[in-house]
């Protein structure tokens, strides 16, 4: 890593080195099916390049189709070692790893066809900066897919998420991050976002520099609550819900 890490990223790197040993068996178990669903929101064409920011132990890697090339980037050497083990064990020759800081990613603008960010936007020091980078790195027709917990709009739940935030910060992420804060200063279009059920903690958000989305691109479970951007209502044939 060329650039010196700031204090928050240095703490995060050490913390996730510790998490690495038991991540897959704990938090990873909880979120694995959602990670797979997040990846289904991109359908890479042959030869396309996908950036997975904060790839961690590489739980997403076995679920990328072999027709694309994946670059998994992470701060933590410990997490990346686990990801490298998966690549070796499962012969994932289309997956590559880079140790780097998402606050200063070592890639040229528009290098990637799609960008995936799972459970990482609430971990970095500046969520809006991460998204701005994703916007810079993705091609104009690409997708940026975020899977994360965002602070609830419900006042009571949102208050608890705020109160519990110091505890969650100690174990590695923010519990009080609103989606709106991530989108500050971004020119991306929110194509759609959904939870697998109304009371799920996690949300999948699909963004793009373009506001064009075909109905058959959207892969969501039947009971999921889809929210579309107002500009896409005619595509989905449904009233705006956000
Ligand atoms: C909660 S884990 C998520 C891992 C994986 N994406 C998943 O869904 O299982 C968050 C990951 O983000 C990484 N991370 C945090 N801040 C980062 C930064 N500034 N640059 C790169 N990776 C970062 C951590 O090292 C950790 O592996």
């Amino acid at each position: 890593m060329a650039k010196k890490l700031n204090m928050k990223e240095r703490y995060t790197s050490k913390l996730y080195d510790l998490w690495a040993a038991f991540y897959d068996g704990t938090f990873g178990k909880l979120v694995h099916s959602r990670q797979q669903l997040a990846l289904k929101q991109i359908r890479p064409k042959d030869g396309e390049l996908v950036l997975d920011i904060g790839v961690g132990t590489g739980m997403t890697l076995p679920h990328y189709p072999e027709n694309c090339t994946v670059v998994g980037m992470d701060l933590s050497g410990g997490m990346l070692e686990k990801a490298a083990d998966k690549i070796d064990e499962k012969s994932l020759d289309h997956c590559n790893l880079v140790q780097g800081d998402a606050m200063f990613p070592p890639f040229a603008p528009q290098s990637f066809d799609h960008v995936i960010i799972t459970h990482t936007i609430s971990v970095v020091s500046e969520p809006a900066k991460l998204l701005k980078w994703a916007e810079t790195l993705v091609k104009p027709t690409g997708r940026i897919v975020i899977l994360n917990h965002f602070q609830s709009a419900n006042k009571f739940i949102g208050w608890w998420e705020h109160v519990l935030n110091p505890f969650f910060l100690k174990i590695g992420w923010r519990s009080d991050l609103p989606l709106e804060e991530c989108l500050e200063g971004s020119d991306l279009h929110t194509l759609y976002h959904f939870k697998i059920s109304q009371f799920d903690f996690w949300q999948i958000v699909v963004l793009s520099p373009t506001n064009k989305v075909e109905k058959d691109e959207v892969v969501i479970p039947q009971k999921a609550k889809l929210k579309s951007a107002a500009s896409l209502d005619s595509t989905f044939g449904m009233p705006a819900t956000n």
Side-chain angles (χ1 to χ4, degrees):
M1 275 181 288
K3 198 125 183 152
K4 224 171 143 217
L5 298 179
N6 73 22
M7 225 164 70
K8 161 81 171 130
E9 262 68 32
R10 240 182 299 155
Y11 174 77
T12 299
S13 168
K14 288 197 181 119
L15 185 64
Y16 278 94
D17 282 350
L18 297 176
W19 258 110
F22 45 93
Y23 184 88
D24 288 10
T26 54
F27 184 73
K29 272 216 162 89
L30 214 61
V31 296
H32 197 41
S33 59
R34 293 173 188 82
Q35 290 171 330
Q36 292 176 48
L37 193 57
L39 295 199
K40 283 189 182 147
Q41 308 311 313
I42 54 159
R43 272 183 260 160
K45 298 188 190 77
D46 287 352
E48 282 194 337
L49 196 55
V50 182
L51 176 65
D52 190 323
I53 300 183
V55 67
T57 60
M59 289 187 66
T60 46
L61 297 179
H63 304 290
Y64 284 101
E66 285 180 18
N67 69 338
C68 68
T69 300
V70 183
V71 177
M73 182 176 74
D74 205 283
L75 262 186
S76 155
M79 295 294 265
L80 285 174
E81 273 175 33
K82 296 285 176 193
D85 289 347
K86 288 193 185 69
I87 291 179
D88 285 346
E89 280 160 23
K90 296 176 195 288
S91 302
L92 304 173
D93 297 336
H94 58 304
C95 297
N96 307 274
L97 300 173
V98 174
Q99 188 165 17
D101 181 3
M103 296 293 91
F104 302 97
F107 307 109
Q110 300 190 6
S111 296
F112 295 92
D113 295 287
H114 306 287
V115 177
I116 304 281
I117 310 169
T118 64
H119 309 113
T120 297
I121 200 153
S122 55
V123 179
V124 299
S125 52
E126 296 176 67
K129 182 172 170 182
L130 172 61
L131 201 55
K132 203 67 198 160
W133 268 119
E135 184 179 344
T136 303
L137 296 176
V138 79
K139 290 187 179 157
T141 54
R143 296 277 179 274
I144 297 168
V145 180
I146 303 176
L147 163 61
N148 219 86
H149 165 80
F150 293 106
Q151 188 178 34
S152 174
N154 175 298
K155 279 202 172 131
F156 179 68
I157 301 172
W159 180 78
W160 272 110
E161 288 165 335
H162 181 64
V163 167
L164 293 173
N165 190 48
F167 164 74
F168 281 106
L169 273 180
K170 282 217 158 50
I171 62 168
W173 58 84
R174 270 178 73 179
S175 58
D176 68 346
L177 175 68
L179 176 57
E180 294 73 22
E181 183 181 323
C182 305
L183 294 168
E184 265 166 31
S186 160
D187 294 320
L188 291 164
H189 297 274
T190 306
L191 298 184
Y192 58 95
H193 55 115
F194 66 94
K195 292 178 171 195
I196 57 172
S197 70
Q198 198 176 350
F199 300 107
D200 198 49
F201 280 117
W202 290 276
Q203 206 173 141
I204 291 174
V205 183
V206 181
L207 306 156
S208 179
T210 165
N211 69 351
K212 286 202 184 79
V213 60
E214 301 300 327
K215 201 173 178 178
D216 67 355
E217 278 183 68
V218 182
V219 183
I220 65 164
Q222 257 183 350
K223 62 178 179 179
K225 205 165 180 269
L226 180 74
K227 295 188 177 193
S228 73
S231 59
L232 294 167
D233 293 342
S234 56
T235 312
F236 287 110
M238 60 192 283
T241 50
N242 60 340

